[in-house]
Amino acid sequence: MPTVGSSWGRYPHVTQNIVPLHWRGAELPTPDGTLLAYGNGRSYGDSCLNDAGNLLVTRGLDRLIAFDPGSGILRCEAGVLFSEILDLVIPQGWFLPVLPGTKFITVGGAIANDVHGKNHHRAGTFGEHVRQFELLRSDGSRLLCDRTQNSELFHASIGGLGLTGLIVWAEFSLQRIAGPWLATETLRFENLAEFFALSSASEKDYEYSVAWIDCCAPEAKLGRGLFMRANHAQVSNAKRPPRQRHLRMPFTPPLSLVNRASLRLFNTLYYHRPIAAHGLSHYEPFFFPLDSIAEWNRMYGPRGFLQYQCLVPPQNSAEVVAELLRIIARSGTGSFLAVLKTFGEREAAGLMSFARTGTTLALDFANAGPSTFALLDRLDAVVAAASGSVYPAKDARMSSAHFRQYFPQWEKLQTHIDPKFSSSFWRRVTE
């Protein structure tokens, strides 16, 4: 039965059929209409939506198939969550090689969007650590894909937005750790020049680095923020893990709680808060600050929000990021959590991988209608002029022209797309 649904950003709303999957050996369902694999719905825009089509919901594919605690190689079904993997492997001295900003994503979704994290300068994207996976196509064929067998399909599927078929299971490498703790350092910086200096100085000695940035700072304080860097601590049980708090946004307010007044107040207080330069942090608050509040996306009200994550090349990152921040500050909008990070010089794992060498800026905007879309268009113009790009996994509105400029390899991906698979995003930017 058709169901009205949306992604994590709660925009747009579409009508689609939900087709739950439960067993990796089963044949691919063949309902009328197009198909799209769907993990846990943590993509922000419409890349995980299929208006008037069918969603193949993979959360039922949640079995761990094999794990070698000696080598750290894990094989599991595509619907397993990162949180479930962490619960299994951390007590055995292993850790996921790349973590995005939430642990509630599936393995299949991580591959389809080739997710990145705070250690891109060291570890690249998740796709770099994938050894192989099985792809179920709509003609019933099952293809084992790795770097030598069906290699073009392997690279097309990594960052391929779930369009090359259904990833049934995947095998990937973990990294060895001593325990769940991180030795962290937090530094206040006053402008973008200081951010880039800190980022450059941290790449050699720190596995993780990221910055929170005050997106509504005035011109005289443009680019100020807090720089966080960390390494895995060489201790297994330094102290009691933090108590799990089950906070939840209990309802959707009639209006967004993120507005000009609340944003300025929060950013000012957060920037000036007392910070401990050095500390020992459990991995969860360091990697997943928003996961501690279930359904935090409700705070943006019934119209939802749009996340904007762009990447600009290194040769003009400072000037371009400054211009983006000026435009955002003048608009008086933005989010409590605005993130700035430099990506390292890594070869892209996937044909359509977003993460490339440069600087990425990510933040949310409450959906206020035409004014928000006009603001994002102005940001697009700056990013496009700088030969940058926007992350498809978080997009719900970029133009077809900009997508084709950002990802000229899209036509090559088209040759690998399963003829039965499609998405609202793909039709919007290519048709």
Side-chain angles (χ1 to χ4, degrees):
M1 176 177 294
T3 301
V4 177
S6 61
S7 61
W8 190 248
R10 311 184 77 194
Y11 174 87
H13 294 270
V14 302
T15 301
Q16 52 202 353
N17 293 316
I18 305 300
V19 183
L21 305 181
H22 300 289
W23 172 238
R24 64 179 181 272
E27 295 181 355
L28 196 69
T30 56
D32 292 336
T34 59
L35 307 174
L36 180 67
Y38 179 93
N40 203 34
R42 290 303 178 113
S43 293
Y44 287 78
D46 56 357
S47 67
C48 65
L49 302 177
N50 192 14
D51 192 26
N54 303 280
L55 288 187
L56 304 176
V57 180
T58 64
R59 273 296 287 139
L61 303 178
D62 58 354
R63 299 166 187 82
L64 297 164
I65 300 171
F67 175 52
D68 180 355
S71 65
I73 295 173
L74 186 147
R75 180 183 296 186
C76 66
E77 292 180 345
V80 173
L81 295 176
F82 270 23
S83 62
E84 296 166 335
I85 294 172
L86 292 168
D87 289 344
L88 169 75
V89 304
I90 288 178
Q92 302 184 64
W94 294 97
F95 203 64
L96 279 161
V98 170
L99 288 172
T102 175
K103 62 181 179 180
F104 299 120
I105 64 167
T106 63
V107 168
I111 296 172
N113 295 293
D114 197 18
V115 298
H116 55 268
K118 298 174 178 62
N119 60 345
H120 181 272
H121 58 286
R122 286 282 188 90
T125 61
F126 184 71
E128 290 191 38
H129 307 272
V130 175
R131 294 163 55 87
Q132 58 179 332
F133 52 78
E134 183 182 75
L135 196 65
L136 177 57
R137 303 272 288 187
S138 62
D139 62 3
S141 61
R142 289 178 180 270
L143 303 176
L144 184 65
C145 300
D146 59 25
R147 287 175 174 76
T148 58
Q149 187 173 187
N150 297 310
S151 61
E152 287 199 0
L153 204 48
F154 177 80
H155 291 290
S157 300
I158 294 174
L161 303 172
L163 297 169
T164 59
L166 176 70
I167 295 174
V168 179
W169 59 262
E171 182 180 281
F172 47 91
S173 302
L174 304 174
Q175 69 159 322
R176 179 68 87 177
I177 57 168
W181 300 95
L182 295 163
T184 63
E185 187 174 6
T186 303
L187 303 162
R188 215 183 313 270
F189 58 91
E190 295 187 358
N191 51 53
L192 287 176
E194 289 187 15
F195 161 78
F196 282 106
L198 281 169
S199 190
S200 177
S202 302
E203 287 192 359
K204 179 175 178 293
D205 296 324
Y206 291 88
E207 183 162 5
Y208 304 102
S209 66
V210 70
W212 168 85
I213 197 157
D214 181 357
C215 63
C216 43
E219 179 70 26
K221 301 173 182 176
L222 191 74
R224 71 178 183 181
L226 301 174
F227 191 88
M228 291 149 276
R229 55 191 184 187
N231 287 314
H232 286 281
Q234 298 304 309
V235 294
S236 57
N237 294 299
K239 54 186 179 180
R240 186 188 298 274
R243 179 182 298 179
Q244 293 284 337
R245 291 185 296 176
H246 300 287
L247 303 177
R248 175 180 293 274
M249 189 70 191
F251 61 90
T252 300
L255 296 172
S256 171
L257 300 181
V258 183
N259 52 48
R260 185 186 295 260
S262 64
L263 197 56
R264 286 190 182 281
L265 177 63
F266 173 88
N267 279 13
T268 299
L269 294 175
Y270 193 75
Y271 176 75
H272 290 290
R273 69 189 174 97
I275 55 175
H278 297 273
L280 195 63
S281 171
H282 192 264
Y283 78 91
E284 293 212 39
F286 182 80
F287 287 107
F288 316 121
L290 290 177
D291 281 351
S292 60
I293 306 174
E295 300 188 72
W296 61 263
N297 54 344
R298 289 178 171 177
M299 77 171 68
Y300 286 95
R303 301 175 77 169
F305 67 98
L306 297 107
Q307 181 161 103
Y308 191 82
Q309 182 169 3
C310 63
L311 172 73
V312 294
Q315 57 268 25
N316 52 2
S317 282
E319 296 81 5
V320 176
V321 171
E323 182 59 20
L324 293 172
L325 290 175
R326 283 191 191 95
I327 294 172
I328 294 167
R330 289 173 193 148
S331 76
T333 63
S335 58
F336 299 137
L337 189 61
V339 174
L340 191 62
K341 159 127 186 96
T342 54
F343 285 156
E345 295 183 12
R346 312 280 302 192
E347 184 176 352
L351 176 63
M352 290 280 290
S353 294
F354 164 74
R356 288 169 274 173
T357 309
T359 304
T360 185
L361 172 67
L363 67 168
D364 305 331
F365 296 95
N367 180 11
S371 63
T372 304
F373 287 80
L375 167 64
L376 298 180
D377 286 345
R378 294 199 295 276
L379 299 181
D380 270 350
V382 175
V383 172
S387 300
S389 62
V390 170
Y391 196 8
K394 299 184 175 180
D395 179 74
R397 34 61 59 194
M398 82 166 86
S399 70
S400 174
H402 277 140
F403 172 74
R404 294 172 190 229
Q405 176 186 332
Y406 299 151
F407 299 95
Q409 66 274 38
W410 73 273
E411 289 182 295
K412 188 171 183 181
L413 174 64
Q414 187 117 342
T415 66
H416 295 289
I417 291 178
D418 186 294
K420 281 283 289 183
F421 278 60
S422 185
S423 71
S424 294
F425 172 85
W426 193 252
R427 293 190 292 275
R428 176 168 59 82
V429 298
T430 62
E431 293 179 356

